Amino acid sequence: MFWRGRFSDARKWLPPSAEGLTCLGWTLALQGEHEAALALPQNATLHFFLDDPEACLRWIGTPANPVAAAQADLLRYWAYTRLGEHSDEATAQAALATLRRLAPCEAARGTALHAEAAFSRQPLYALAHLDHALDLFARFGLHHLEARLLNLKAQALDAAGLLGDASRFQQAAAEARRRQGL
């Protein structure tokens, strides 16, 4: 339910296991309950959801498998980009290729990380990346970051001077937030 953006339902049904508490933290982070999220188990993904690149970098651990390594590379890429530091595009693209090959749904989530990093670097040029992320999210039924991606797309369209389209996507972002109870 979390990945589908059904945060209220996810909060009701998450088990009290370690995985359930981690997902609850992510849910709380996306719902804007940052203090409550930080009281639960922390990891790099939580700090991505909280838009805290410094903490994200601190929490990136040693990956146990190729999928986790690719996710860590993308989180690192996002964090360095958000901090305005050098980020390695080749490593990010290799990570996305690994995820596409081994875990396509994870690749969709990774594409969102990459799109947000592209927006941080240059909003105007992020449009294609944001479109790609939104398309993959639709394909895999992912909605947890839909409002955030739509809002970034609205800002990118605004930067491009496409004010009518920007307004339309801002309304879509508001509708996504409303559906998710944000």
Side-chain angles (χ1 to χ4, degrees), residues 82-182:
R82 289 284 292 124
L83 293 170
E85 297 179 16
H86 173 72
S87 51
D88 186 6
E89 182 68 30
T91 299
Q93 290 300 323
L96 287 169
T98 297
L99 292 176
R100 281 191 300 271
R101 190 176 72 253
L102 299 176
C105 192
E106 289 298 326
R109 292 191 275 266
T111 301
L113 280 162
H114 189 264
E116 284 199 29
F119 181 85
S120 293
R121 189 169 284 155
Q122 177 51 265
L124 182 61
Y125 299 121
L127 281 169
H129 299 289
L130 291 163
D131 281 339
H132 185 56
L134 287 164
D135 286 346
L136 288 175
F137 268 46
R139 182 180 306 157
F140 287 99
L142 301 172
H143 300 285
H144 64 293
L145 291 176
E146 183 178 27
R148 195 154 130 176
L149 292 171
L150 288 168
N151 185 53
L152 291 176
K153 182 164 179 176
Q155 291 177 50
L157 287 164
D158 185 59
L162 302 169
L163 303 182
D165 289 336
S167 176
R168 191 168 48 91
F169 277 92
Q170 195 60 46
Q171 290 173 358
E175 174 59 24
R177 281 191 299 277
R178 187 197 59 73
R179 271 193 325 272
Q180 294 174 338
L182 304 177

